[in-house]
Amino acid sequence: MLVGDALRAFLARILGSNERAVELALRSLTLALDQRTTLMLYGDGDMVPIAWALHVRTLGPDSPFVVCDPRRRPRAASVCSPESYPSGVAVFEAAVGGSLCVHMRRLPGDVPALVARLQRGDDVRCAICIGPLSDSNRPPIRPAPLIVPPLARRSADLDQIIWEYADEARAGLGASEPSFTDVDRAWVRDHAATSLAEIEEATRRLVALRIWHEVPLAAARLGMAPASLSRWFGRRGVRRAADLPPHVRRATVSPPSPPTLAEIWERRVLDMLEEPQREGLAPPFAFGDANIRIAAEEWLERIKSGSAPRDQEAIAGLKALLADLDVRLGPSASPRSDKPKQ
């Protein structure tokens, strides 16, 4: 857990080098940790990863961090995304001893009950993610909200931000100094620097591959499936082997083979998950195997219930994908019938 100067340095990383903004943020964060106020986060894109990062660095990774997301079914925490529930009361109960996080634009239906629990409780911290804010329209809030500037306005700081996340990754994974290089830094800048959360994710994964050399070993240390780690690099805009750092290329690139039916339909499910982002809505936290299975099950259920067009190709592809995910994740708890309703 970060304290003192280390916490101040992390806040400077996410907020920029404005000393006044960092000091105000440190004050607000301290009050929120003492449960004397709610932490307010403004910024472009999804602010939940920032709230999660602050939680982990102040309360520790073993303290619960739970998100209220009324658009999704309950899901357990993974290496890519925190635990979440659609109900505010359920979030509160799961967050006892830690923190809960809500989106201002996606509040649950039981907001009054959640507010009452927060007012009575004394062991849950609260963070609210609000969205972008212009410099000319800052609200009169005390203590000051955390206003995270977009990375597009911090190009001069980007290399330093990447190195700082890489230093954290090396320390967390027990790596030596040569485990992150200028080549890695350039690759992250070009392929995985759309957000602070993506930079953190990318540096950790590159360091893991530097240490363990092979995807299965690196993925096991990162707590994820080898296929998910390989696909992550593929989704970073990499279209050819030469775009990868040499050690990543050796570990992830293999001779091409025709895609299986499950792989074809996994791509279609990923396209469906990415659709809200193309429409300007907040994207999911991650497109991991668990989220893909949830989406595939929901799609198949819509076909069975008649709310989606009956399509034998879709049925076969989704079943093949779900069978593949059952092998990778274990059997799903959701019952699936073999035939759609007539």
Side-chain angles (χ1 to χ4, degrees):
M1 293 183 289
L2 301 183
V3 295
D5 291 342
L7 183 55
R8 184 176 284 103
F10 179 70
L11 288 170
R13 187 190 312 171
I14 64 175
L15 301 177
S17 56
N18 184 322
E19 294 184 5
R20 176 63 175 165
V22 170
E23 290 304 320
L24 289 174
L26 186 61
R27 183 186 309 170
S28 298
L29 182 58
T30 300
L31 291 172
L33 291 170
D34 290 340
Q35 301 169 72
R36 295 165 61 189
T37 190
T38 295
L39 187 66
M40 314 286 283
L41 295 102
Y42 288 82
D44 293 334
D46 188 2
M47 287 291 100
V48 170
I50 298 294
W52 193 14
L54 289 168
H55 169 92
V56 169
R57 288 166 173 81
T58 52
L59 296 178
D62 296 328
S63 178
F65 179 86
V66 192
V67 176
C68 185
D69 190 345
R71 295 184 181 181
R72 293 185 173 276
R73 295 186 296 179
R75 63 179 175 186
S78 71
V79 67
C80 296
S81 59
E83 184 178 6
S84 71
Y85 293 90
S87 160
V89 171
V91 166
F92 180 90
E93 293 173 350
V96 170
S99 306
L100 67 82
C101 183
V102 297
H103 302 263
M104 182 60 76
R105 295 181 180 178
R106 299 209 299 270
L107 294 174
D110 58 348
V111 168
L114 173 59
V115 171
R117 294 286 186 97
L118 285 168
Q119 290 174 341
R120 295 196 305 266
D122 60 359
D123 199 19
V124 175
R125 295 118 188 120
C126 181
I128 299 180
C129 300
I130 300 175
L133 182 70
S134 67
D135 290 339
S136 61
N137 189 33
R138 300 194 179 203
I141 296 175
R142 296 187 65 183
L146 272 67
I147 302 174
V148 181
L151 280 178
R153 286 165 41 188
R154 301 184 63 193
S155 59
D157 302 331
L158 192 53
D159 286 342
Q160 180 62 30
I161 291 170
I162 294 170
W163 282 119
E164 289 179 8
Y165 275 118
D167 287 340
E168 278 191 358
R170 284 198 296 260
L173 294 169
S176 58
E177 186 64 25
S179 56
F180 194 85
T181 67
D182 281 328
V183 172
D184 296 323
R185 189 266 312 153
W187 187 88
V188 171
R189 182 170 185 132
D190 291 341
H191 296 283
T194 61
S195 68
L196 294 170
E198 188 180 35
I199 292 173
E200 180 175 16
E201 189 177 56
T203 53
R204 186 171 174 82
R205 292 175 182 191
L206 285 170
V207 168
L209 274 174
R210 282 284 189 192
I211 301 172
W212 287 283
H213 307 294
E214 298 179 4
V215 165
L217 297 177
R221 182 63 180 84
L222 293 167
M224 59 191 304
S228 295
L229 182 57
S230 292
R231 286 199 305 272
W232 182 88
F233 283 103
R235 290 200 295 270
R236 301 281 76 76
V238 176
R239 294 290 176 261
R240 57 196 179 92
D243 291 332
L244 293 168
H247 68 290
V248 179
R249 183 164 65 246
R250 288 192 298 269
T252 60
V253 176
S254 57
S257 58
T260 64
L261 185 59
E263 289 169 341
I264 292 171
W265 280 87
E266 182 169 25
R267 182 64 259 172
R268 297 198 184 189
V269 172
L270 284 167
D271 288 341
M272 184 180 70
L273 286 171
E274 291 166 354
E275 186 64 31
Q277 187 173 6
R278 290 195 290 269
E279 295 177 355
L281 301 176
F285 300 119
F287 301 136
D289 287 349
N291 288 345
I292 293 170
R293 176 153 71 182
I294 290 171
E297 288 174 342
E298 290 177 349
W299 192 349
L300 190 57
E301 183 59 33
R302 288 200 299 269
I303 296 175
K304 292 190 292 181
S305 67
S307 61
R310 183 176 178 182
D311 185 327
Q312 294 300 327
E313 180 189 4
I315 295 168
L318 291 168
K319 285 184 176 179
L321 171 57
L322 289 167
D324 185 56
L325 290 169
D326 284 348
V327 172
R328 279 145 53 179
L329 299 176
S332 171
S334 302
R336 299 194 290 266
S337 64
D338 292 332
K339 295 182 180 180
K341 294 181 180 179
Q342 300 296 324

